[in-house]
Amino acid sequence: MAADPRFFEVTGPHSLAVIAEVAGGRFEGDGGRLFAGIGSLPSATPDQVSFLDNRRYVDALETTRAGAVVVDEAMLERVPAGCVPIVAKQPAIGFARVALLFHPPAPRRPGIHPTAVIGEGASIGEGTEIGPYAVVGEGASIGPDSLVEPHAVVGRGVVLGARARIHNHASITHTIAGDDVVLHPGARVGNEGFGFTTDPASGRYVTMPQLGRVVLGDGVEVGANVTIDRGASLDTEIGAGTRIDNLVQIGHNVRTGQGCVLVAQVGISGSSTLGDHVVLAGQAGVAGHLTIGSGARIGAQAGVMKDVAPGMDVAGLPAKPARDHWREVAALRRIAGNGPLTRMETAGAPSAAAGRNDRKQGRD
Amino acid sequence: MAADPRFFEVTGPHSLAVIAEVAGGRFEGDGGRLFAGIGSLPSATPDQVSFLDNRRYVDALETTRAGAVVVDEAMLERVPAGCVPIVAKQPAIGFARVALLFHPPAPRRPGIHPTAVIGEGASIGEGTEIGPYAVVGEGASIGPDSLVEPHAVVGRGVVLGARARIHNHASITHTIAGDDVVLHPGARVGNEGFGFTTDPASGRYVTMPQLGRVVLGDGVEVGANVTIDRGASLDTEIGAGTRIDNLVQIGHNVRTGQGCVLVAQVGISGSSTLGDHVVLAGQAGVAGHLTIGSGARIGAQAGVMKDVAPGMDVAGLPAKPARDHWREVAALRRIAGNGPLTRMETAGAPSAAAGRNDRKQGRD
Amino acid sequence: MAADPRFFEVTGPHSLAVIAEVAGGRFEGDGGRLFAGIGSLPSATPDQVSFLDNRRYVDALETTRAGAVVVDEAMLERVPAGCVPIVAKQPAIGFARVALLFHPPAPRRPGIHPTAVIGEGASIGEGTEIGPYAVVGEGASIGPDSLVEPHAVVGRGVVLGARARIHNHASITHTIAGDDVVLHPGARVGNEGFGFTTDPASGRYVTMPQLGRVVLGDGVEVGANVTIDRGASLDTEIGAGTRIDNLVQIGHNVRTGQGCVLVAQVGISGSSTLGDHVVLAGQAGVAGHLTIGSGARIGAQAGVMKDVAPGMDVAGLPAKPARDHWREVAALRRIAGNGPLTRMETAGAPSAAAGRNDRKQGRD
């Protein structure tokens, strides 16, 4: 399937030689052969380029009609006749560059839409586009070459670095952000934290002032309809390069290291701390005031109630070492008289699976 | 409780004869008797019509003060004296029609609110209402008799069929939709998928271009604050008639069949495929690259990590056949010395419960 | 860390005597000593006031550089030399008042922004601020001294009492609310419920009319991107003082008592009823048509499929008495041969933990 021109820019055709160079790969044959675009293995046509990254799809490679395919050395012999292999060390990255060659991002239209409301003292960087009905608060600062889509709200005093992308309906307040930060539609950053105490006299809840901020490192991406609360007194901090999927909840005072991956619907309770490159698979939860060490991997739907050591793989409710979890799953099946384990019960530890997906291809 | 006229249209009174005809039911007695509205069994008054669908509420039927009640044959003898039974094959559907008789949807006000921003080349069908601050992108197409509520965003090139209802604050981009599609408030459709790969040189994540679309079949309903990501290369496809409850996450390249039911807070990871009429109960999760067969029912909070065969009932973490799951729940209770099972531990399999609720009454 | 003046009001300095009086505490020494602000124990400087509420942080107390600290009697001897103890019965509440002394809420700017759209017959109370691009429907009523932030939508006929705070991008329809109600960004209140039935003729789903409302008691707070559906025939009711964290889902016809605490990502299915002061920890789920008694505490990620008695502590999937749950966790570990329990598996019941956090400090 070619990218739909109603939604994406289209360039080309481009020659095999150019494509291979962009992909950082080598090929044999006619470098002048022209290609019209890219496609997935099952749907690509002879005038399209495809790629294989996930071995799960090697069958699709062997039957693809694509005219060329970006693969690594090991997959070479699986490439069908009539399909030109472009051999690259990092097929996924190579293909990503080829995709951008054919489909560059839509050009920004620098300037402020007449319907946008810009607060006093706000500064907008050069080359930045502010869309219809965007609201930028007093004294806010948005770096150069940024995009603020329709209906986005950037609160009073907020600082966004260069090349920020604030998608439609996202709102961000009480936040200091680095460069290359992305907020997907409906993301809510800087909300008042869920902090209160009970007044024994009245029995009523009294809100604890939430006087901290959110600090987003360079390259942080925040998914659609995510919620990140600002700190109570310290800041809520998201480390550089961290990727947050849709509908994730991050409580006040949470701190994550660099390059963490939080898959959809994960929840991290207040004041917990993650090291670098921690991976939480979908729907996992972390209780409050915990420490998760660098490189730890938390399985899908795991419920973490204790600190997790660096590099540890955990799974289950309550979360425990994944190895123990799967041993317990097997033991329980046995004592229940449910017979030998079938494929369904012996799935690879979810954290491992999640790790693989996240590192390679996100949820794809 | 009568419907609040501040929020709903009110017509009537209507005669028993008209009401029974609309309900597709038969009755005995004075067809000229007038009714003022509808009500629930516990709250309905003698001038109101009610209905019984869920046997769980048969006690409420026997004590209702409603003047008439839509029921099926089997419930006839439970209808109290002084309440006219309207006997219908499908009481729920009959009652739905009677409710619409008394409370039709608010009339649309065809036209474009002066504050709406309509992009170049966008086409708006006849009889369609575009509300305040709605933004419709360039070349977008919205079918006739549609409603776009305040602050909704319809992206560049998006295609919506006839009778679309895009509620306040919903946003939809990169999407081709059929007729009768509904987006509830804050729904996010067409977001960039969570796809990236690691550059071994820098250790940084590199985004994989997300060049697919979202395709919504006729009659698809998308709940409040739901997130549906567009495909990476193939499309994300939601089959006709599928109902998606609030806060559900659907990853890129997911495909669902027709008439699936995804209850609130469900998450489906990228590239998984659902057959027709699959039911996922609340908070269930499905890992990536899996296939769930038609008619399968996934229990509440189940964590699916393997393919599920058509018609299968699964539950638990990891998900397994519901029968096995409940046997394991019982066995574990036994070996823990927790004594005989009580009602709490022997609840019907959540998937079954969910199935009943979903098919009949959603989460009601 | 002092509160960032870009985001928060700043007053002061204030004297120790004034601070102690506001905190409702007693102190010894120079009441004229001036303090510049507040800080957390680890970061506070000698010119700042801090507090200790959670014993988990007593080490931080013993090493703090804060000039004064609000503590209870029991912590007195842990206060380091050079730090003035302000002894209060309720340190958290005392500190909250001190925080408001230094950082009062930003003053409202009564009036309606020229870009706001106010429907016919809508009434706006005195002292209320309506922000840019807010939309207030026909006949809606907003009480005095309220704040409606940019892009908020208040639907036709909605009633909000005094001192309402509707944050950016929140939308509320079909709702009658008391005083002091707060909607955080992106909250969706009054959505059409997930109710439908299957037409056996066509096999299609038919929507059941959702003709109820949402009723919010005084002081209810609704978190960011939360979804609360309106009733089908009865109302959805949220009891006074109930606090709802981010990304929570509440189905149609749900009723909660007073002072309930619903932590992030909780889901409550339609027609279930909660008593007073029920606590649901993060990601817990409640099936439909259930009754949860007053004071019950539901553990993190618990899956409730049966009624829960008042005051009961439950955990696990399916949810059972927490005591039984933890016994089962231990037994399973034993039979799996995973050796003696470690800290990780013997974490206190999540509901208890949640209870402590929620009651004291929310998720902080």
Side-chain angles (χ1 to χ4, degrees):
Chain A
M1 179 213 67
D4 189 325
R6 288 171 291 189
F7 304 125
F8 302 99
E9 302 295 306
V10 176
T11 75
H14 299 286
S15 72
L16 177 56
V18 167
I19 290 164
E21 186 187 2
V22 167
R26 58 170 216 275
F27 71 98
E28 291 169 2
D30 171 13
R33 178 173 170 185
L34 291 177
F35 287 85
I38 60 170
S40 63
L41 288 171
S43 67
T45 49
D47 63 345
Q48 293 180 328
V49 183
S50 190
F51 86 116
L52 178 73
D53 184 50
N54 187 334
R55 275 143 201 273
R56 188 195 290 262
Y57 293 130
V58 63
D59 297 355
L61 172 61
E62 291 173 324
T63 59
T64 187
R65 293 175 50 247
V69 60
V70 185
V71 293
D72 61 27
E73 196 73 51
M75 291 292 111
L76 196 47
E77 69 281 1
R78 307 299 200 90
V79 178
C83 174
V84 181
I86 299 171
V87 179
K89 283 210 167 45
Q90 299 296 328
I93 293 176
F95 183 75
R97 298 202 186 104
V98 172
L100 286 169
L101 169 69
F102 281 102
H103 307 289
R108 264 183 283 82
R109 302 165 181 176
I112 298 173
H113 193 279
T115 63
V117 172
I118 311 297
E120 211 177 309
S123 83
I124 312 290
E126 253 188 53
T128 288
E129 169 179 354
I130 309 284
Y133 299 125
V135 174
V136 178
E138 294 166 13
S141 165
I142 302 177
D145 303 319
S146 296
L147 173 63
V148 176
E149 289 193 342
H151 288 278
V153 172
V154 177
R156 153 192 176 192
V158 165
V159 176
L160 298 173
R163 297 171 302 281
R165 274 196 291 133
I166 311 299
H167 285 278
N168 68 75
H169 283 287
S171 52
I172 181 166
T173 67
H174 307 85
T175 298
I176 305 299
D179 295 332
D180 302 295
V181 163
V182 179
L183 264 60
H184 290 284
R188 310 285 168 216
V189 178
N191 318 299
E192 183 177 300
F194 196 61
F196 51 91
T197 188
T198 303
D199 178 346
S202 65
R204 293 233 180 82
Y205 301 127
V206 177
T207 297
M208 296 300 293
Q210 304 290 307
L211 298 168
R213 310 170 301 177
V214 174
V215 176
L216 302 177
D218 294 341
V220 167
E221 299 207 6
V222 180
N225 286 349
V226 161
T227 55
I228 302 179
D229 290 347
R230 67 182 182 261
S233 57
L234 303 171
D235 293 330
T236 299
E237 296 179 29
I238 309 298
T242 291
R243 299 264 178 149
I244 303 174
D245 197 358
N246 300 338
L247 292 171
V248 166
Q249 152 70 7
I250 296 184
H252 54 187
N253 307 337
V254 164
R255 277 171 297 135
T256 86
Q258 299 195 4
C260 290
V261 174
L262 311 184
V263 179
Q265 297 175 313
V266 155
I268 303 181
S269 302
S271 302
S272 282
T273 301
L274 278 56
D276 296 332
H277 294 93
V278 171
V279 175
L280 276 83
Q283 299 183 330
V286 175
H289 301 277
L290 299 182
T291 299
I292 313 292
S294 292
R297 289 139 67 104
I298 313 301
Q301 295 188 333
V304 180
M305 299 171 187
K306 286 291 171 187
D307 293 347
V308 175
M312 196 173 185
D313 238 329
V314 305
L317 172 62
K320 61 207 69 168
R323 187 190 58 258
D324 293 7
H325 170 69
W326 294 105
R327 210 183 282 123
E328 293 183 9
V329 165
L332 181 53
R333 180 160 186 81
R334 205 169 50 242
I335 62 160
N338 281 335
L341 297 178
T342 70
R343 275 181 77 248
M344 175 168 269
E345 283 77 29
T346 56
S351 57
R356 187 173 58 251
N357 285 343
D358 298 332
R359 295 267 164 73
K360 277 262 192 56
Q361 285 280 66
R363 285 185 279 84
D364 134 343
Chain B
M1 180 213 67
D4 189 327
R6 288 171 290 190
F7 305 126
F8 302 98
E9 302 294 307
V10 176
T11 74
H14 299 286
S15 71
L16 177 56
V18 166
I19 291 165
E21 185 185 4
V22 166
R26 59 170 214 276
F27 70 99
E28 291 168 5
D30 170 15
R33 177 175 170 183
L34 291 178
F35 287 85
I38 60 170
S40 63
L41 288 172
S43 67
T45 48
D47 63 344
Q48 294 181 329
V49 182
S50 190
F51 86 115
L52 177 74
D53 184 50
N54 188 336
R55 276 144 200 274
R56 186 195 293 260
Y57 294 129
V58 64
D59 298 354
L61 172 61
E62 292 173 324
T63 58
T64 188
R65 294 176 49 246
V69 60
V70 185
V71 293
D72 62 26
E73 195 74 49
M75 289 293 110
L76 195 46
E77 69 282 359
R78 307 299 201 91
V79 178
C83 174
V84 181
I86 300 170
V87 179
K89 282 209 169 46
Q90 299 298 326
I93 293 176
F95 183 75
R97 297 202 186 104
V98 172
L100 286 168
L101 169 69
F102 281 100
H103 307 289
R108 273 190 319 290
R109 302 165 181 177
I112 298 173
H113 193 279
T115 62
V117 172
I118 310 298
E120 211 177 308
S123 82
I124 313 289
E126 253 188 54
T128 288
E129 169 179 355
I130 309 285
Y133 300 125
V135 174
V136 178
E138 295 167 12
S141 165
I142 301 176
D145 302 319
S146 296
L147 173 63
V148 177
E149 288 193 342
H151 289 279
V153 171
V154 177
R156 152 191 176 193
V158 165
V159 175
L160 298 173
R163 296 172 302 280
R165 272 195 293 134
I166 311 299
H167 285 278
N168 67 75
H169 284 287
S171 52
I172 181 166
T173 68
H174 306 86
T175 298
I176 305 299
D179 296 332
D180 301 296
V181 163
V182 179
L183 264 59
H184 290 285
R188 310 287 166 214
V189 177
N191 318 299
E192 182 177 300
F194 196 62
F196 52 91
T197 188
T198 304
D199 178 347
S202 65
R204 293 233 180 82
Y205 301 127
V206 176
T207 297
M208 297 299 294
Q210 304 291 306
L211 298 168
R213 309 170 301 179
V214 173
V215 176
L216 301 178
D218 294 341
V220 167
E221 298 207 6
V222 180
N225 287 350
V226 161
T227 55
I228 302 179
D229 290 348
R230 67 180 182 261
S233 56
L234 302 171
D235 293 329
T236 299
E237 296 179 28
I238 309 298
T242 291
R243 298 263 177 150
I244 303 174
D245 197 357
N246 300 339
L247 292 171
V248 166
Q249 151 70 8
I250 297 184
H252 54 188
N253 307 337
V254 164
R255 277 171 297 134
T256 86
Q258 299 195 4
C260 291
V261 174
L262 311 184
V263 179
Q265 298 176 313
V266 155
I268 303 181
S269 301
S271 302
S272 281
T273 301
L274 276 56
D276 296 332
H277 293 94
V278 171
V279 175
L280 276 82
Q283 301 183 329
V286 175
H289 301 279
L290 299 182
T291 300
I292 314 292
S294 292
R297 289 141 66 105
I298 313 300
Q301 297 189 333
V304 180
M305 298 170 187
K306 286 292 173 186
D307 294 347
V308 175
M312 196 173 185
D313 238 329
V314 304
L317 172 61
K320 61 208 70 169
R323 187 190 57 259
D324 293 7
H325 170 68
W326 293 107
R327 210 183 282 123
E328 294 183 10
V329 165
L332 182 53
R333 180 160 186 80
R334 205 169 49 240
I335 61 158
N338 281 335
L341 296 179
T342 70
R343 275 181 76 246
M344 174 167 268
E345 285 77 31
T346 56
S351 57
R356 185 174 57 252
N357 286 343
D358 298 332
R359 295 268 164 73
K360 277 261 190 59
Q361 286 280 66
R363 284 186 281 84
D364 137 345
Chain C
M1 180 211 67
D4 189 326
R6 289 171 291 189
F7 305 126
F8 302 98
E9 302 295 306
V10 177
T11 74
H14 300 286
S15 72
L16 177 55
V18 167
I19 291 164
E21 185 186 2
V22 166
R26 59 170 213 277
F27 71 99
E28 291 168 3
D30 170 15
R33 178 174 171 185
L34 290 178
F35 287 85
I38 60 170
S40 62
L41 287 172
S43 67
T45 48
D47 64 343
Q48 294 181 328
V49 182
S50 191
F51 86 115
L52 177 73
D53 185 50
N54 188 335
R55 276 142 199 277
R56 187 195 291 262
Y57 294 130
V58 64
D59 298 355
L61 172 61
E62 291 173 325
T63 57
T64 188
R65 293 177 49 248
V69 60
V70 186
V71 292
D72 60 27
E73 196 74 48
M75 290 293 111
L76 195 45
E77 70 282 359
R78 306 299 201 90
V79 178
C83 175
V84 180
I86 300 171
V87 179
K89 283 210 168 46
Q90 298 298 327
I93 293 176
F95 183 75
R97 298 202 185 104
V98 172
L100 286 169
L101 169 69
F102 281 102
H103 308 290
R108 275 189 319 286
R109 302 165 182 176
I112 299 173
H113 192 279
T115 61
V117 172
I118 310 297
E120 211 176 309
S123 82
I124 312 289
E126 253 187 54
T128 288
E129 169 179 355
I130 309 285
Y133 300 125
V135 174
V136 177
E138 295 166 12
S141 165
I142 301 177
D145 302 319
S146 297
L147 172 63
V148 176
E149 289 194 341
H151 289 278
V153 171
V154 177
R156 152 192 176 192
V158 165
V159 175
L160 298 173
R163 297 172 301 281
R165 274 196 290 133
I166 311 300
H167 285 278
N168 68 74
H169 284 287
S171 53
I172 181 166
T173 67
H174 306 86
T175 298
I176 305 299
D179 296 332
D180 302 294
V181 163
V182 179
L183 265 60
H184 290 285
R188 310 287 167 213
V189 177
N191 318 299
E192 183 177 299
F194 196 63
F196 51 90
T197 187
T198 304
D199 177 347
S202 65
R204 293 235 180 81
Y205 300 126
V206 177
T207 297
M208 297 299 294
Q210 303 291 305
L211 298 167
R213 309 169 302 177
V214 174
V215 176
L216 302 177
D218 294 340
V220 167
E221 299 208 5
V222 180
N225 287 349
V226 161
T227 55
I228 302 179
D229 290 349
R230 68 180 182 261
S233 57
L234 302 172
D235 293 330
T236 300
E237 296 178 28
I238 309 298
T242 291
R243 299 262 177 150
I244 303 174
D245 198 357
N246 299 338
L247 292 170
V248 166
Q249 151 70 8
I250 296 183
H252 54 187
N253 307 337
V254 164
R255 277 171 298 136
T256 86
Q258 299 195 4
C260 291
V261 174
L262 310 184
V263 179
Q265 298 175 313
V266 154
I268 303 180
S269 301
S271 301
S272 282
T273 301
L274 277 54
D276 296 332
H277 294 94
V278 171
V279 175
L280 276 83
Q283 300 183 329
V286 175
H289 301 278
L290 299 182
T291 300
I292 313 293
S294 292
R297 289 141 66 104
I298 313 300
Q301 297 188 333
V304 180
M305 299 170 186
K306 286 290 173 188
D307 293 347
V308 175
M312 197 174 185
D313 238 329
V314 304
L317 173 62
K320 62 208 67 170
R323 187 189 58 258
D324 293 7
H325 169 68
W326 294 107
R327 211 183 280 123
E328 293 183 10
V329 166
L332 181 53
R333 179 159 187 80
R334 206 169 50 241
I335 62 159
N338 282 335
L341 297 178
T342 70
R343 275 181 77 247
M344 175 168 266
E345 283 77 30
T346 56
S351 56
R356 188 173 55 252
N357 286 341
D358 298 332
R359 296 270 162 73
K360 276 260 191 58
Q361 286 280 67
R363 284 185 282 85
D364 135 342

